[in-house]
C-alpha cells in the first residue's frame, strides 16, 4: 500500500527569525508549535503524535505536560540534523496513514547565540560526528564548512563547477529574501559581492555559508481523510523518502564524496508521487551551503551529474526562472531552523499564501532535507 | 610561550587505541580483517565484507594520491587561529581506505602522488602528507 497522498500538511507556523533571541530554544519551539496548531484549526490537546526536531529543545513529555495531551499515541526522535524535518514528514505520514494518529506535530526551536551552540562546537557532542571528532577535529577539521569543502572542491575539479555557479545560488536566495518580511538578510548582493566575500574554507566563501540564527518552526501532519474542518487548503504529501550515503558518518571515507543520501531517496519519492522533476513548479532545497543545492539538483535528476553548476546559472532558480528555488530566502538568507522553514514555505506556496514571492499558480513542489554529513530526505507535495 | 589554546585531543576509544599508539610510534596503522584480509579505516567494530570482528593492525605503505582538499581561512577552534590559512588534504591510500591529513606543501591536484609524514606535537601525533617525489629525494 502506497503512502502517496494519504497524509497532508494541515498547519504551519514560525516565530520571528532573529540573531540573539532572548527566548530559549524550547520557548521558540512552543511558540511555533502553537502557531502551526492554530493554523490547522486545532487545539493543542488535539495533537496525538509528536516528533520534536533536534535534541536542544523540548521532548515529547514536555508537549504532553504543556498541552495537556490526554493520550499521545506516537512520538519519535530522528537524529539526522537538517534532514530530520523532512524525514519527520515521512514518519508522520506513515503513522497518520496507518491510523495510529490523526494529527502529528513536528516542531523545532533553536537558540545558537550561546558560544557552546556555535557550529564547530556543538557537533562534537553529537554521536553521528564521532569519526570527525576523533580523527579530524584534532587536525583542525572542525566545522561543517571545513568538513564539506572537499566535496565541493572535488566537484569543481572533476566537473568544472565554478565560483559563479555557487554565486548564482546565493544571489537567487538573497533576491527571494528581499521579498520576505520574515527573512533576516535584507541587503541585495551580486555575483561580484559573492566572489569578493572572504574565504571561510576554500572553496566556500562567507556568502556560500548559511546563517546562524535563532527561531522556531513547526508543521502539523494530518491524515488526508482526517475530516476535520481545516481552515486552509490541504497540501498533500504525494511522495516522501529518506536515504543515507555510504559511509554516512565520514565524508573522508565515502566511496563517492560527491553523492548524497538524497540520490537514493529521490527516485523513490518521484515514483511514489508519480511525477518527474520536469513536473516540479517550485523547490525548497536544503542550502546549508550553496554547493549543497547544486549537488542535490543533480542527485534528484534535474540535471546529469556534474551539470549542476551550469544548470543554476542564468537565473533558473530565481522567481520567473524555470525552477524557482528557496522562494523564502533559504538557510542562506532567510534563517536557519534546520530546513523546517523550507517545509513551511513549500506549504505556503502550494496554498497560494507566499505573498510577493508567490510562484503563480504553483500546484506541485518539493522540499529536501540534508543532515549531518549527507543524510537526505525529500517530500513532493501537491495542492489537494 | 604563547597563550594559544591547546588543540583538541581525540577522545579515548578502545576501538582505535592501537591506531593512536601506532601514530605515536610514527606508524600509520590500518585495521585489516583477521578473517578475510580486507583493510578498513576509520576503525570500526565489524568487517563489512564478512562481519568478522577480529583485526590485525597493519602499517600502511604511506603512499597515496590526493582525492580532495580544503584550505581553512577561518578558525572554528581557537587552537588553529594562529595557523591560518592551513590546508587539509584527503588522500586515497594505496591500500584502499582514505586518510585526512595536514598539508604544508604547495599546489594540490587530484591524483597527485603523496606520502605520509607523522609529526609529533604537544597535543599528540599529527598525520601529514607531502609530495611523494620530494620525500624520496
Ligand atoms: Zn572480513
Amino acid at each position: 500500500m502506497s503512502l502517496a497522498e494519504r497524509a497532508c500538511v494541515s498547519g504551519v507556523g514560525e516565530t520571528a527569525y532573529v540573531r540573539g533571541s532572548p527566548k530559549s530554544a524550547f520557548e521558540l519551539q512552543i511558540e511555533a508549535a502553537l502557531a502551526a496548531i492554530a493554523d490547522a484549526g486545532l487545539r493543542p490537546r488535539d495533537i496525538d503524535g509528536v516528533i520534536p526536531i533536534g535534541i536542544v529543545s523540548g521532548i515529547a513529555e514536555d508537549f504532553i505536560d504543556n498541552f495537556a495531551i490526554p493520550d499521545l499515541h506516537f512520538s519519535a526522535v530522528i537524529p539526522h540534523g537538517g534532514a530530520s524535518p523532512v524525514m519527520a514528514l515521512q514518519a508522520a505520514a506513515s503513522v497518520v496513514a496507518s491510523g495510529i494518529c490523526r494529527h502529528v506535530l513536528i516542531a523545532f526551536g533553536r537558540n545558537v547565540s550561546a558560544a557552546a551552540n556555535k557550529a564547530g562546537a556543538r557537533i562534537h557532542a553529537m554521536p553521528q560526528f564521532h569519526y570527525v571528532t576523533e580523527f579530524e577535529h584534532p587536525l583542525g577539521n572542525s566545522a561543517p564548512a571545513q568538513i564539506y569543502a572537499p566535496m565541493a572542491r572535488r566537484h569543481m575539479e572533476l566537473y568544472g563547477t565554478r565560483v559563479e555557479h555557487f554565486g548564482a545560488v546565493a544571489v537567487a536566495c538573497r533576491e527571494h529574501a528581499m521579498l520576505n518580511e520574515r527573512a533576516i538578510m535584507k541587503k541585495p548582493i551580486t555575483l561580484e559581492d559573492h566572489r569578493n566575500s572572504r574565504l571561510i574554507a576554500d572553496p566556500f566563501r562567507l556568502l556560500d555559508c548559511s546563517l546562524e540564527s535563532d527561531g522556531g518552526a513547526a508543521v502539523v501532519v494530518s491524515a488526508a481523510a482526517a475530516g476535520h474542518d481545516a481552515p486552509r487548503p490541504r497540501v498533500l504529501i504525494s511522495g516522501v523518502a529518506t536515504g543515507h550515503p555510504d559511509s554516512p558518518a565520514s565524508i573522508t571515507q565515502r566511496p563517492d564524496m560527491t553523492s548524497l543520501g538524497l540520490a537514493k531517496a529521490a527516485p523513490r519519492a518521484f515514483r511514489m508521487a508519480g511525477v518527474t522533476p520536469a513536473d516540479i513548479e517550485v523547490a525548497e532545497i536544503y542550502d546549508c551551503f550553496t554547493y549543497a543545492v547544486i549537488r542535490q539538483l543533480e542527485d534528484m535528476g534535474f540535471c546529469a551529474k556534474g551539470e549542476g553548476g551550469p544548470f543554476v546559472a542564468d537565473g533558473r532558480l530565481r522567481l520567473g526562472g524555470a525552477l524557482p528555488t528557496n522562494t523564502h530566502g533559504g538557510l542562506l538568507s532567510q534563517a536557519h531552523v534546520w530546513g523546517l522553514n523550507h517545509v513551511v514555505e513549500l506549504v505556503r506556496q502550494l496554498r497560494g499564501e507566499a505573498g510577493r514571492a508567490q510562484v503563480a499558480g504553483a500546484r506541485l513542489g518539493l522540499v529536501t532535507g540534508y543532515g549531518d554529513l549527507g543524510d537526505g530526505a525529500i517530500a513532493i507535495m501537491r495542492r489537494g | 610561550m604563547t597563550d594559544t589554546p591547546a588543540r583538541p585531543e581525540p577522545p579515548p576509544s578502545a576501538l582505535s587505541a592501537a591506531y593512536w599508539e601506532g601514530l605515536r610510534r610514527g606508524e600509520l596503522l590500518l585495521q585489516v580483517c583477521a578473517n578475510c584480509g580486507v583493510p578498513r579505516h576509520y576503525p570500526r567494530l565489524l568487517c563489512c565484507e564478512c562481519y568478522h570482528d577480529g583485526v590485525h593492525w597493519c602499517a600502511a605503505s604511506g603512499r597515496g594520491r590526493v582525492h580532495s582538499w580544503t584550505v581553512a581561512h577561518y578558525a572554528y577552534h581557537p587552537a588553529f587561529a594562529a595557523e591560518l590559512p592551513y590546508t587539509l588534504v584527503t588522500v586515497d591510500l594505496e591500500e584502499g581506505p582514505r586518510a585526512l591529513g595536514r598539508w604544508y606543501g604547495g599546489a594540490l591536484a587530484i591524483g597527485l602522488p603523496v606520502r605520509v609524514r607523522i609529526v609529533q606535537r604537544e597535543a599528540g601525533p599529527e598525520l601529514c602528507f607531502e609530495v611523494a617525489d620530494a620525500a624520496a629525494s
Side-chain angles (χ1 to χ4, degrees):
Chain A
M1 185 181 63
S2 171
L3 201 52
E5 307 201 344
R6 305 283 308 282
C8 64
V9 177
S10 55
V12 298
E14 293 173 298
T15 68
Y17 296 127
V18 298
R19 287 162 158 166
S21 173
K23 295 179 181 171
S24 71
F26 180 55
E27 289 172 313
L28 293 163
Q29 183 184 33
I30 286 286
E31 181 182 331
L34 290 172
I37 293 164
D39 188 58
L42 298 171
R43 298 168 304 166
R45 66 185 56 196
D46 296 327
I47 295 299
D48 57 4
V50 62
I51 306 177
I53 299 297
I55 53 171
V56 297
S57 44
I59 57 175
E61 286 84 342
D62 294 321
F63 289 91
I64 296 172
D65 280 344
N66 285 280
F67 292 171
I69 294 172
D71 191 5
L72 192 79
H73 296 183
F74 175 82
S75 74
V77 173
I78 298 178
H80 297 295
S84 306
V86 180
M87 288 183 169
L89 290 177
Q90 183 194 49
S94 301
V95 296
V96 299
S98 61
I100 293 168
C101 295
R102 293 184 72 210
H103 306 292
V104 178
L105 172 69
I106 300 167
F108 181 56
R110 78 188 313 211
N111 184 319
V112 293
S113 298
N117 292 334
K118 297 287 187 206
R122 63 175 181 265
I123 63 170
H124 300 293
M126 296 160 68
Q128 58 268 50
F129 283 85
H130 68 99
Y131 284 137
V132 174
T133 301
E134 179 168 5
F135 298 102
E136 304 187 355
H137 188 33
L139 294 165
N141 201 33
S142 305
Q146 299 165 335
I147 298 164
Y148 295 178
M151 302 194 288
R153 170 51 62 192
R154 188 165 168 87
H155 200 272
M156 295 175 89
E157 299 294 315
L158 291 182
Y159 304 117
T161 312
R162 298 200 302 266
V163 172
E164 54 265 39
H165 297 146
F166 298 164
V169 176
V171 168
C173 286
R174 185 60 58 90
E175 284 184 357
H176 299 158
M178 305 286 294
L179 303 172
N180 183 351
E181 63 194 19
R182 291 180 300 273
I184 289 177
M185 302 306 281
K186 289 301 189 191
K187 185 168 156 277
I189 58 170
T190 64
L191 286 178
E192 290 67 37
D193 293 330
H194 168 266
R195 180 181 285 278
N196 293 333
S197 66
R198 65 191 166 92
L199 280 163
I200 300 296
D202 179 78
F204 294 144
R205 292 164 164 77
L206 183 66
L207 292 180
D208 290 307
C209 302
S210 50
L211 306 171
E212 288 270 53
S213 57
D214 303 338
V219 302
V220 177
V221 174
S222 301
H228 81 288
D229 290 326
R232 305 287 189 191
R234 279 193 326 175
V235 173
L236 294 162
I237 299 173
S238 300
V240 61
T242 70
H244 300 268
D246 299 331
S247 185
S250 169
I251 290 168
T252 298
Q253 301 299 339
R254 189 165 300 162
D256 178 359
M257 65 162 61
T258 64
S259 187
L260 302 169
L262 183 62
K264 300 179 185 178
R268 288 187 261 120
F270 280 108
R271 209 176 307 126
M272 185 188 293
V275 300
T276 70
D279 299 317
I280 298 298
E281 296 164 299
V282 56
E284 314 299 348
I285 300 177
Y286 197 89
D287 52 335
C288 45
F289 298 94
T290 52
Y291 163 75
V293 174
I294 291 171
R295 177 65 255 155
Q296 290 173 90
L297 286 164
E298 295 176 6
D299 279 346
M300 288 188 285
F302 281 92
C303 59
K305 185 158 185 164
E307 292 175 7
F311 184 85
V312 303
D314 302 327
R316 188 187 298 257
L317 305 188
R318 296 153 80 169
L319 276 168
L323 185 67
T325 294
N326 295 358
T327 44
H328 52 332
L331 307 178
L332 289 164
S333 282
Q334 188 201 22
H336 198 325
V337 282
W338 282 20
L340 201 40
N341 49 331
H342 292 48
V343 180
V344 169
E345 174 67 8
L346 179 61
V347 170
R348 290 204 174 117
Q349 283 283 348
L350 298 177
R351 287 174 174 179
E353 296 176 351
R356 290 191 291 162
Q358 180 66 47
V359 175
R363 296 186 65 85
L364 185 76
L366 66 76
V367 57
T368 74
Y370 169 10
D372 295 339
L373 297 159
D375 304 316
I378 173 174
I380 297 166
M381 299 199 211
R382 184 175 70 80
R383 181 169 178 155
Chain B
M1 204 52 206
T2 68
D3 53 3
T4 296
R7 284 189 182 189
E9 288 182 34
S13 144
L15 257 182
S16 56
Y19 169 83
W20 289 106
E21 283 163 23
L23 274 198
R24 281 190 286 271
R25 289 196 311 270
E27 280 189 312
L28 172 59
L29 300 183
L30 302 178
Q31 286 179 311
V32 173
C33 176
N35 184 52
C36 76
V38 170
R40 61 184 192 261
H41 197 52
Y42 297 136
R44 63 170 182 264
L45 186 62
L46 289 186
C47 170
C48 66
E49 299 292 328
C50 73
Y51 308 126
H52 198 270
D53 67 358
V55 296
H56 301 303
W57 287 92
C58 299
S61 73
R63 288 186 294 271
R65 289 178 182 273
V66 170
H67 189 84
S68 195
W69 67 91
T70 182
V71 184
H73 291 265
Y74 178 85
Y76 289 90
H77 186 288
F80 300 102
E83 302 178 33
L84 294 174
Y86 61 88
T87 301
L88 294 155
V89 64
T90 310
V91 172
D92 289 307
L93 298 173
E94 198 170 57
E95 292 80 5
R98 294 208 195 101
L100 184 85
R102 290 286 290 266
W103 176 263
Y104 296 96
L108 283 161
I110 289 178
L112 181 74
V114 297
R115 61 172 294 147
V116 76
R117 182 166 63 92
I118 296 161
V119 178
Q120 304 298 335
R121 297 197 184 276
E122 208 169 319
E126 179 187 90
L127 189 62
C128 307
F129 289 91
E130 60 189 10
V131 174
D133 292 341
S137 63

